[in-house]
Amino acid sequence: MTRARLAGGLALALALAACGGDPTYLPLEELMDPATCQACHPKHFQEWSGSMHAYASEDPVFLAMNARGQRETGGALGDFCVGCHAPMAVRLGLTTDGLNLAEVPAYAKGVTCYFCHSVTDVEGTHNNPLTIASDGVMRGGLRDPVASPAHASAYSPLLDGDAPASSATCGACHDIVTPAGVHLERTYLEWQSSIFTGQEDPRAALSCGGCHMLSTSDVVADVPGLDVPLRQRREHTFPGVDVALTPFPEKDAQLAAIQRDLKGAVLAKLCVQPLDGGIITLRLDALTGHNFPSGASQDRRAWAEIIAYDAADAVVFDSGVVPDGVDPEDIGDPNLWEMRDRVYDELDQPVEFFWEVARVDEATLRPRITNDVSSPDYDHSTTWTYPVPGLTATITRVTARVLIRPLPMSLFDALEASGDLTDPTLRDGVPTFQLDGTVLEWTPDTDDLDRCVTP
């Protein structure tokens, strides 16, 4: 079904609801409003309200990038960005390019409850090819939902976090192919190459929701008078690495969830050896279901920090020591290990914005793609070497860790310079997350055999 046909179908359904429609359930226009969901699903709503799904069309960086992109492409972007950032607004005909989002009703902004729970089909792998029903049925992962007084309910594997098929629903917006044909965001494609599809071993199957929507034993609806049993209730915080940069609900909870999930995202091994005159090596192994980092990997700034000390605890070598407000690539570090995509235009010049990209050089950590120890692809780790000629005899302590920021400072500078971003304090809100699972300290006593340390 095309977006035009779907918008027409929704308009018809809204008209029928306004005239009375099925009196058994809430009218469709109420079901479209996330605030309506809050009454029966308060925990889901609270978590969603602080998520990047709720923030998707409020984000000033998104708004500024869309404005600049529309201007620089002469409007050719159309609904390319807003199709994922405010999909209901597009499908209801409330916007065609996202430039009028300030006037769009709140119920149609962001990635809403109604949008996800009305998915009936996934007709592609990128740029939001989701088919949305207009029948008022809320679909989810429960095979035997309790009858709701607000809406009809149905099971769908596309909304079941235990079903690999649900990853296609997430991947629909988390893989992006630009108008120039560049597969810029590849989270779903990366997952498809990993062991977590379950194709090699069904026991390894793990969907997007399996990681990003942790489950607890709880009621999924709180309705007075209804006997609602304990179920597997999935978290609707959707933590990744992006954060709200302006005042927004649940900011502390969102930051805590991100820090929690990053802790085990990468496994590290640190070695200090007198080989070739002295080297420090750091091996990183992504434990994620996709590359690390992923998504808008050209905008992510993930890097390794190494600091070596002598017996007086003075620094004798360091790499990746990045000050606040500075991008890693701008510190002039010849040994810097930075994990991200590099993007270039048709003239092979580095670019900042996705509509300029003609080529991508990947430099991210890969996920596990096989459990077959005899396969050459079994070891998917990456090792970085830091030359420290003549220093290993004096090094008595080395610390290592991996850090990540969701956005680069250069993006804010570019958007401010063009006048599309007017608040210079926004860059101060970009957090630097430490991957706690990569924090290591080596000393000569850590391992007498291979002079290495792991968590």
Side-chain angles (χ1 to χ4, degrees), residues 119-130:
V119 170
T120 59
D121 195 12
V122 185
E123 298 179 343
T125 59
H126 54 268
N127 297 10
N128 191 0
L130 298 174

Side-chain angles (χ1 to χ4, degrees), residues 303-304 319-322 328-331 333-338 384 386:
W303 72 95
S319 177
V321 179
V322 182
E329 62 269 28
D330 291 337
I331 65 174
D333 181 352
N335 298 300
L336 178 69
W337 185 4
E338 191 177 17
W384 199 263
Y386 302 86

Side-chain angles (χ1 to χ4, degrees), residues 160-164 166-167 170 187 191 194-197 204-216 232-241 254 256-265 286-291 367:
D160 182 354
D162 290 330
S166 65
S167 291
C170 302
T187 303
W191 175 83
S194 77
I195 62 168
F196 299 106
T197 62
L206 188 63
S207 72
C208 305
C211 283
H212 293 277
M213 299 180 71
L214 298 183
S215 63
T216 57
Q232 175 182 255
R233 189 187 78 81
R234 289 199 174 273
E235 181 181 88
H236 278 55
T237 308
F238 310 107
V241 69
Q254 183 70 205
I258 294 171
Q259 192 67 68
R260 175 201 68 197
D261 290 359
L262 285 175
K263 181 176 182 179
L287 304 182
T288 49
H290 46 68
N291 289 24

Side-chain angles (χ1 to χ4, degrees), residues 26-315:
L26 294 176
L28 204 58
E29 67 268 25
E30 290 189 36
L31 290 178
M32 287 185 182
D33 189 346
T36 301
C37 306
Q38 183 179 14
C40 295
H41 305 281
K43 292 181 181 178
H44 295 85
F45 178 84
Q46 181 178 1
E47 292 162 351
W48 171 87
S49 71
S51 73
M52 292 307 291
H53 282 181
Y55 195 62
S57 57
E58 305 287 346
D59 184 356
V61 175
F62 157 70
L63 295 171
M65 287 186 68
N66 182 57
R68 179 164 175 165
Q70 298 290 357
R71 184 175 67 252
E72 293 190 352
T73 65
L77 283 184
D79 65 3
F80 177 76
C81 300
V82 77
C84 279
H85 280 256
M88 286 309 301
V90 172
R91 298 186 183 215
L92 290 171
L94 298 173
T95 188
T96 58
D97 55 15
L99 295 178
N100 66 325
L101 282 176
E103 288 77 47
V104 169
Y107 74 84
K109 290 185 178 182
V111 184
T112 63
C113 314
Y114 181 90
F115 177 74
C116 288
H117 289 277
S118 294
V119 170
T120 59
D121 195 12
V122 185
E123 298 179 343
T125 59
H126 54 268
N127 297 10
N128 191 0
L130 298 174
T131 300
I132 306 299
S134 58
D135 54 10
V137 178
M138 296 293 100
R139 293 154 178 87
L142 297 180
R143 295 180 180 272
D144 55 345
V146 173
S148 167
H151 56 76
S153 303
Y155 169 78
S156 172
L158 298 176
L159 278 299
D160 182 354
D162 290 330
S166 65
S167 291
T169 309
C170 302
C173 270
H174 288 277
D175 263 34
I176 298 296
V177 176
T178 71
V182 177
H183 202 156
L184 191 62
E185 298 188 24
R186 303 172 301 278
T187 303
Y188 181 52
L189 181 66
E190 293 160 2
W191 175 83
Q192 288 177 303
S193 73
S194 77
I195 62 168
F196 299 106
T197 62
Q199 294 179 3
E200 179 184 89
D201 182 353
R203 295 172 298 179
L206 188 63
S207 72
C208 305
C211 283
H212 293 277
M213 299 180 71
L214 298 183
S215 63
T216 57
S217 180
D218 200 352
V219 294
V220 297
D222 186 4
V223 183
L226 281 187
D227 183 14
V228 181
L230 288 176
R231 305 274 200 169
Q232 175 182 255
R233 189 187 78 81
R234 289 199 174 273
E235 181 181 88
H236 278 55
T237 308
F238 310 107
V241 69
D242 289 301
V243 299
L245 299 178
T246 52
F248 206 66
E250 301 295 306
K251 289 187 72 170
D252 290 344
Q254 183 70 205
L255 290 169
I258 294 171
Q259 192 67 68
R260 175 201 68 197
D261 290 359
L262 285 175
K263 181 176 182 179
V266 175
L267 181 67
K269 182 177 182 179
L270 173 66
C271 304
V272 181
Q273 299 168 316
L275 304 175
D276 301 321
I279 61 171
I280 298 172
T281 61
L282 180 64
R283 189 184 76 181
L284 298 179
D285 186 347
L287 304 182
T288 49
H290 46 68
N291 289 24
F292 176 86
S294 191
S297 300
Q298 75 281 2
D299 288 331
R300 310 301 185 209
R301 291 298 184 269
W303 72 95
E305 179 192 270
I306 297 285
I307 306 177
Y309 304 84
D310 63 14
D313 216 31
V315 175

